[in-house]
Amino acid sequence: MKSGYKIAWTSNALRELKETIAYLKANFSDKEIAKLSRKIENFTEIISQNPYIFPKSDSKNIHKLVILKFNTIYYRIKNDRVEILSFFSNRQSQDKKKI
């Protein structure tokens, strides 16, 4: 399936994703990492085709989607691309969220 919107990860989102993967490597098996990877691929394909499908967060132009129950992706739509702003671990205090 051809993507309609390009997906771009910000440095903050990539850092948060790397931290999540490091946590999973230290505390879980490769099975959980593979499961998370599949979910991310599936959701990024969905938002590339229809980025408006997920609800807006408290911020006006930022959408959110929950990956499993432990992580939330925050993104915004700019022209023909989707910018992933944060890959937030829901285990943290919401005060630590950087969008």
Side-chain angles (χ1 to χ4, degrees):
M1 183 183 301
K2 186 180 177 193
S3 295
Y5 288 79
K6 295 177 185 175
I7 305 293
W9 288 71
T10 63
S11 58
N12 178 61
L14 287 173
R15 180 186 51 77
E16 291 174 332
L17 176 60
K18 286 178 186 177
E19 289 172 0
T20 298
I21 291 171
Y23 174 81
L24 291 175
K25 282 183 180 179
N27 297 290
F28 295 93
S29 70
D30 289 341
K31 181 180 176 182
E32 283 78 18
I33 296 170
K35 183 177 180 180
L36 177 64
S37 178
R38 282 191 307 276
K39 289 288 188 181
I40 292 170
E41 287 178 24
N42 290 341
F43 282 122
T44 54
E45 182 61 32
I46 290 168
I47 62 175
S48 74
Q49 295 299 316
N50 187 359
Y52 299 98
I53 196 167
F54 294 103
K56 289 187 177 179
S57 69
D58 296 336
S59 300
K60 292 180 182 176
N61 294 318
I62 297 176
H63 295 261
K64 69 177 183 177
L65 68 103
V66 176
I67 302 269
L68 303 172
K69 64 181 175 182
F70 299 110
N71 296 93
T72 300
I73 289 179
Y74 292 90
Y75 67 93
R76 69 177 164 207
I77 304 150
K78 288 184 93 175
N79 301 321
D80 66 341
R81 71 185 214 168
V82 172
E83 290 181 322
I84 297 178
L85 305 171
S86 178
F87 188 85
F88 187 73
S89 175
N90 297 329
R91 294 177 198 93
Q92 302 179 68
S93 166
Q94 292 295 313
D95 297 336
K96 292 185 177 185
K97 187 170 30 179
K98 296 178 184 175
I99 301 178

